[in-house]
Amino acid sequence: MSARQSRGRSAPPSVAPPLARWRFGLVLVGIVAVAAVLVGRITLLQVMDRPFLQSQGDARTLRHEAIPAHRGMITDRYGEPLAISTPVVTLWANPQELPEDPVRRVMLAQALGMSLFDLDARIARYDEHEFMYLRRQMTPRAAQEVLDLRVAGVYSQQEYKRYYPAGEVAAQLIGVTDVDDAGQEGLELAYQPYLSGRPGQRRIIQDRRGRLVRELGVVREAQPGGDLTLAIDQRLQYMAYRELRSAVEDNDADGGVLVMLDSRTGEVLAMVNLPSYNPNNRAGLDPGGLRNQALVDVFEPGSVVKPLAMSTVLEKPGYSPETVMDTAPGWMRIDGYTIRDFRNYGELSLTDVLVKSSNIGMSRLALELRDTAIWERYNQLGFSHSPGTGFPGEAGGNLPDTVNFSRSERASLAYGYGLSVSAVQLASACTAIANRGRRMPPSLLKLDEAPPGEPVIEPAVADELMGMLEAVVGPGTGGRRARIEGYRVAGKTGTVRKTGQSGYDEDAYRSVFVGIAPASKPRIVTAIMIDHPKAGEFYGGAVAAPVFSDVAGSALRLLGVPPDADESSP
């Protein structure tokens, strides 16, 4: 074969060595294996482990945030607000995210109204935590000024704060809420479940710094609390507070209580206590001002319950307001105790026994009755029973045990000693006189209709008592200062010694008055107690009766009660 022919032929194809083919196959198998592993892992993550991974991711980014519920409003009987909730902002921080830069911290402290020392101390206290409050319940504007600084680790949450438009005037009745808007005292506490409502909930996505990325929707709508309508008439409440405070100050007294009921329904139109406090600013609060004395405190009523005891006498055959009895010599001893009148009144009609407030007359009458007759009447009138208003800690008062009931105990009950009642119980008991024998239970809430009442005193006897009590406040009597120009008034005075550690104090008294107006067609029953007047006067007719005249007179005019046409000026 020639060289030319040799060059014209193509070379045979090269054959890969066996080692090269083996390497190629190994790489191919490796790629396929890795791809299979990746596909399997992806399948495992996306299919098999998806619920777990999704939950873990949600746990780091998905949050359920509470939606605060608006607390219900408390109003007077005409819708005037007594307690309302206003939106506020609470600032909180994650101490681990707060900047170390001293300049930023100074700016934050100044915006919060704090010193840098106090802020640093608080951060140090919570440095191992992820949450701490910076300031609670700020106004939205003040909170926004802090947030505008854009300090890392500072966040906000929406809340509500309670505000009380009537302030100290109705503080003990309405009560207060704590910083979390939960009832702590008074009606705020009594109706906490009703007023508080139910918080809602929404789903949100947050970034790793806790900032809101997106709202995913509302899980549960917030249900606002219910509104509470009280029987209180805010006009009468303000007026009663003003007059009671004036009387307490003028008589240098330790305090006082006033309760005004609608005699037809038992609704509490006004309830005032002194000392009081401002529920909107509790700095330097005197704990004594927190007590709603009208409902939770009791005292010996003294002579103001004599008409109630007299009702048992008048129901006995042979007794009438004109029945005459002898009270001479003005004192008597029973079971070793001496009972005295102010002076020897001699013979008195039963009406005059009330007018003169004769302890001797009431004692002798009590001893002519069955042993437990007066005790049973007081029990029927609600003494020793809870008034049933639902107010936290309301007192039931006390009546003595009738086992081994002594003559002196029977006598003392008749003139108002040996028992204890609250001002609300006292006023409620006297509605039985105003309603021709039917006692109206007290109500702090506005009623849609008048309750039937509880028959306690015979109607004819209640009418007689009303006439006798008009005489008690007639011209020239100890109760004359309770009279109201243009209206007929019925009432009874009382002066009670206070008790100390060793018995009754010689120079510490409570001045009491209970009145009904107008006597011709009763509309209001008012009980007043002035605690320990020290300015000189201490008799109920001199201290408490004038308060009734001012308060009841203004109340009748505000309520639009027409004057008695035949009533001359006092």
Side-chain angles (χ1 to χ4, degrees):
M1 184 181 293
S2 63
R4 184 180 298 272
Q5 290 174 335
S6 177
R7 288 192 298 267
R9 293 179 179 175
S10 59
S14 60
V15 177
L19 180 61
R21 289 196 300 270
W22 181 82
R23 287 178 177 174
F24 176 77
L26 184 62
V27 170
L28 183 61
V29 169
I31 293 173
V32 173
V34 170
V37 170
L38 291 176
V39 170
R41 182 60 176 165
I42 292 172
T43 301
L44 180 66
L45 294 176
Q46 293 295 322
V47 178
M48 304 298 294
D49 292 341
R50 181 182 179 87
F52 171 76
L53 295 174
Q54 184 69 50
S55 66
Q56 291 297 306
D58 288 347
R60 289 162 174 78
T61 61
L62 185 65
R63 294 287 185 270
H64 285 84
E65 185 178 72
I67 303 174
H70 188 276
R71 190 174 180 85
M73 183 167 58
I74 301 178
T75 70
D76 82 338
R77 64 187 302 108
Y78 298 116
E80 293 297 322
L82 296 171
I84 56 177
S85 290
T86 57
V88 292
V89 178
T90 286
L91 296 180
W92 64 277
N94 184 341
Q96 300 178 15
E97 297 178 1
L98 290 174
E100 297 289 342
D101 181 7
V103 175
R104 298 290 286 170
R105 288 203 176 186
V106 168
M107 295 173 61
L108 177 60
Q110 290 177 344
L112 291 170
M114 304 170 59
S115 67
L116 179 60
F117 176 82
D118 290 338
L119 178 60
D120 286 341
R122 180 174 296 184
I123 294 173
R125 191 181 314 130
Y126 294 95
D127 61 349
E128 295 183 357
H129 299 77
E130 295 183 354
F131 178 91
M132 72 174 192
Y133 284 117
L134 291 174
R135 270 191 68 182
R136 301 290 304 268
Q137 299 185 340
M138 301 177 67
T139 63
R141 180 176 179 180
Q144 190 59 48
E145 291 177 358
V146 178
L147 295 172
D148 287 344
L149 297 176
R150 299 186 180 280
V151 177
V154 176
Y155 308 98
S156 66
Q157 66 184 47
Q158 301 298 314
E159 293 182 329
Y160 289 99
K161 181 180 181 180
R162 208 63 161 163
Y163 174 66
Y164 302 94
E168 63 185 22
V169 173
Q172 297 93 344
L173 174 63
I174 305 302
V176 292
T177 59
D178 61 14
V179 71
D180 294 316
D181 213 27
Q184 293 293 292
E185 299 282 347
L187 294 176
E188 292 277 31
L189 174 60
Y191 290 91
Q192 165 64 17
Y194 176 75
L195 290 167
S196 62
R198 181 185 177 189
Q201 197 176 67
R202 64 173 182 167
R203 297 178 67 199
I204 60 173
I205 293 179
Q206 294 177 324
D207 63 15
R208 65 185 183 89
R209 294 184 177 274
R211 293 173 297 195
L212 177 66
V213 174
R214 186 168 75 253
E215 181 176 342
L216 300 179
V218 175
V219 178
R220 184 180 65 245
E221 293 284 356
Q223 296 180 2
D227 293 337
L228 197 64
T229 303
L230 304 187
I232 292 292
D233 185 330
Q234 188 170 226
R235 303 170 303 167
L236 304 184
Q237 184 76 9
Y238 272 99
M239 178 269 298
Y241 180 83
R242 181 186 68 240
E243 298 298 339
L244 184 66
R245 184 176 62 181
S246 178
V248 168
E249 292 174 352
D250 292 346
N251 290 280
D252 189 23
D254 291 347
V257 175
L258 185 150
V259 175
M260 181 185 296
L261 303 185
D262 187 322
S263 62
R264 306 166 305 173
T265 64
E267 293 171 300
V268 179
L269 299 178
M271 179 179 287
V272 178
N273 297 269
L274 287 171
S276 188
Y277 70 100
N278 183 359
N280 299 310
N281 181 9
R282 297 168 223 173
L285 172 66
D286 177 8
L290 287 170
R291 297 179 64 81
N292 187 350
Q293 301 175 61
L295 274 165
V296 304
D297 287 355
V298 295
F299 56 92
E300 285 185 308
S303 297
V304 291
V305 297
K306 287 176 179 176
L308 304 176
M310 183 67 77
S311 68
T312 63
V313 177
L314 294 174
E315 289 178 354
K316 187 177 180 182
Y319 287 87
S320 72
E322 294 75 30
T323 300
V324 176
M325 63 177 303
D326 190 4
T327 65
W331 64 272
M332 62 187 297
R333 287 186 64 81
I334 306 177
D335 297 338
Y337 297 97
T338 301
I339 303 172
R340 299 181 183 276
D341 278 343
F342 183 73
R343 64 180 178 84
N344 181 10
Y345 294 117
E347 291 187 346
L348 294 175
S349 68
L350 296 193
T351 296
D352 287 333
V353 168
L354 294 183
V355 172
K356 302 296 185 182
S357 201
S358 171
N359 293 338
I360 302 301
M362 291 305 303
S363 297
R364 290 181 176 172
L365 289 169
L367 296 179
E368 294 178 7
L369 300 173
R370 287 184 299 104
D371 290 358
T372 60
I374 293 178
W375 187 98
E376 291 169 2
R377 177 52 45 86
Y378 289 167
N379 187 57
Q380 291 174 324
L381 289 166
F383 296 168
S384 79
H385 302 292
S386 171
T389 64
F391 192 88
E394 65 179 5
N398 182 62
L399 285 175
D401 195 334
T402 55
V403 177
N404 299 322
F405 210 23
S406 67
R407 287 167 54 85
S408 60
E409 286 178 312
R410 292 163 54 192
S412 63
L413 279 183
Y415 57 84
Y417 280 81
L419 74 157
S420 61
V421 299
S422 68
V424 167
Q425 287 178 308
L426 192 57
S428 176
C430 290
T431 61
I433 300 175
N435 283 298
R436 306 197 69 232
R438 288 184 174 270
R439 183 183 77 89
M440 295 296 169
S443 175
L444 298 176
L445 303 183
K446 183 180 179 181
L447 302 176
D448 294 330
E449 58 183 22
E454 179 184 359
V456 179
I457 302 173
E458 293 179 3
V461 170
D463 293 342
E464 290 176 334
L465 283 172
M466 185 68 75
M468 298 166 77
L469 293 180
E470 281 195 76
V472 170
V473 297
T477 65
R480 65 187 181 279
R481 298 182 188 180
R483 302 181 72 202
I484 304 171
E485 182 175 0
Y487 295 93
R488 291 166 53 190
V489 172
K492 185 69 186 76
T493 62
T495 307
V496 190
R497 289 186 184 275
K498 295 187 65 174
T499 55
Q501 293 182 349
S502 57
Y504 290 105
D505 291 335
E506 290 297 324
D507 56 356
Y509 298 88
R510 289 188 175 95
S511 306
V512 189
F513 185 85
V514 179
I516 302 170
S520 55
K521 190 176 182 180
R523 178 66 188 276
I524 56 175
V525 174
T526 305
I528 300 162
M529 187 275 288
I530 307 295
D531 187 20
H532 195 190
K534 300 180 287 294
E537 297 277 10
F538 58 85
Y539 287 110
V543 177
V547 181
F548 172 84
S549 177
D550 293 336
V551 170
S554 297
L556 293 175
R557 287 184 281 272
L558 286 171
L559 294 172
V561 179
D564 290 299
D566 59 346
E567 177 66 10
S568 59
S569 299

